[in-house]
Amino acid sequence: FIDNNSSVIIRNIKDEPDLMVNQVIKPFTLMLIDISLIIGVIIVLFLFDPLLTLLAIFLFMTSGILFIYLTNKKIKNFGYIRQVNDGLRIKNIHQAFSNIIEIMILNAKRIMLKQYVNPNKKSSQSTRAAVILQELPRVWLEMLAVIGLFIITYVMLEFDREVEEIIPVIGLFALAAFKILPTSNRILASITSIKFGLPTVNVIVKNLKKSKKIVYNKVNSNLFNFKNKIEFKNVSFKYKNKIKIFKNLN
């Protein structure tokens, strides 16, 4: 309570647990289910044509890793921006309602409104950017599927396969792509969501570690018995890593 503003504590209690469930735990669970489905489809394709299956796996894996690499830092940064500005929003709302009389007397409504709008705008923009990145894999994968089918057809023609043999293979891979594409899209969207929620996980884990270090000692009431006066001698106070508010108070 001393190290953090009350707005940060409210955010950590109110918003962060919900975000951890929706942005991390739920996507991670769905991702495991989708991965198991893709593994099953790959096994069927591998039994049918190992060479073409390995080629398709290489193409999709390379593209997926490239997409994750290009968006990794950005999505983490968006999550951090959202977290910081959500704390500022709560702080400004709390200050506005706590000091509403002074704000009305000093005609500072525009100043307080601006202090709320700016972090609210940044938080919304970062969330919007994260949602856009979650939708990008769908277009990416659809384009990749078309290119992949073209490459598979080209490879089969280069190996002098008959047309009667090519058509069933293309049909099978097209059917597999029809099932794998939405599943792969959900996996990449889940990865994006998890990375966006990593700052939330870090905050919750940090707070849980701090809570374990807190020791509640039973206070001996006899220490506070007094008859005539309470005396302060050379008392100083400061917040963590801050300038002393008062020093050597007597």
Side-chain angles (χ1 to χ4, degrees):
F1 288 95
I2 294 177
D3 296 341
N4 295 295
N5 189 284
S6 59
S7 62
V8 175
I9 298 172
I10 293 171
R11 181 204 67 194
N12 292 345
I13 295 173
K14 178 180 176 294
D15 297 335
E16 300 305 307
D18 290 338
L19 285 168
M20 183 172 180
V21 172
N22 294 320
Q23 297 286 347
V24 179
I25 297 176
K26 184 178 178 181
F28 181 75
T29 304
L30 294 175
M31 184 176 66
L32 293 179
I33 296 172
D34 290 332
I35 288 174
S36 63
L37 177 62
I38 287 181
I39 290 174
V41 174
I42 289 174
I43 290 173
V44 173
L45 293 176
F46 190 82
L47 293 174
F48 187 79
D49 195 320
L51 179 62
L52 293 178
T53 303
L54 290 174
L55 179 62
I57 291 173
F58 174 77
L59 183 63
F60 274 90
M61 287 290 291
T62 304
S63 301
I65 292 171
L66 179 62
F67 177 82
I68 293 171
Y69 175 77
L70 293 175
T71 60
N72 184 34
K73 290 184 179 179
K74 290 183 179 180
I75 197 67
K76 284 183 180 178
N77 188 47
F78 290 146
Y80 177 75
I81 292 172
R82 191 277 315 160
Q83 188 179 74
V84 170
N85 285 281
D86 277 357
L88 290 175
R89 285 197 306 175
I90 297 172
K91 174 185 175 183
N92 293 330
I93 290 173
H94 184 265
Q95 289 180 342
F97 284 116
S98 299
N99 302 282
I100 188 64
I101 296 176
E102 290 84 352
I103 292 171
M104 299 298 290
I105 292 173
L106 297 173
N107 195 24
K109 291 179 289 184
R110 291 182 180 274
I111 296 174
M112 293 305 300
L113 183 61
K114 184 178 180 181
Q115 287 181 349
Y116 173 77
V117 168
N118 288 338
N120 185 61
K121 184 177 180 181
K122 290 179 181 178
S123 177
S124 300
Q125 287 175 341
S126 62
T127 303
R128 180 182 62 191
V131 171
I132 291 173
L133 286 177
Q134 287 179 359
E135 294 297 323
L136 277 180
R138 182 175 61 83
V139 180
W140 179 288
L141 291 171
E142 287 176 356
M143 181 178 65
L144 188 63
V146 175
I147 296 173
L149 289 174
F150 174 79
I151 292 174
I152 289 173
T153 305
Y154 177 79
V155 170
M156 294 179 73
L157 289 173
E158 284 294 317
F159 279 90
D160 297 325
R161 292 195 182 185
E162 299 294 332
V163 177
E164 292 80 3
E165 186 182 357
I166 294 175
I167 293 176
V169 173
I170 294 299
L172 178 63
F173 275 87
L175 183 63
F178 179 77
K179 189 64 181 176
I180 288 177
L181 280 179
T183 307
S184 301
N185 179 45
R186 287 196 300 269
I187 290 174
L188 289 176
S190 295
I191 292 173
T192 303
S193 177
I194 291 169
K195 289 187 179 296
F196 182 73
L198 280 180
T200 297
V201 176
N202 294 335
V203 164
I204 291 177
V205 171
K206 183 179 178 181
N207 287 336
L208 290 174
K209 287 182 178 179
K210 280 186 176 181
S211 65
K212 293 180 180 179
K213 296 178 181 179
I214 298 175
V215 179
Y216 298 95
N217 296 320
K218 187 175 181 180
V219 178
N220 186 358
S221 59
N222 294 327
L223 296 175
F224 295 95
N225 289 335
F226 62 92
K227 295 181 178 180
N228 299 318
K229 63 182 178 179
I230 300 176
E231 185 176 0
F232 292 89
K233 290 184 177 180
N234 299 324
V235 179
S236 302
F237 176 78
K238 68 173 182 176
Y239 288 100
K240 187 177 180 181
N241 300 324
K242 301 289 183 180
I243 299 173
K244 288 185 178 179
I245 296 176
F246 55 83
K247 183 178 180 182
N248 296 330
L249 175 67
N250 294 290

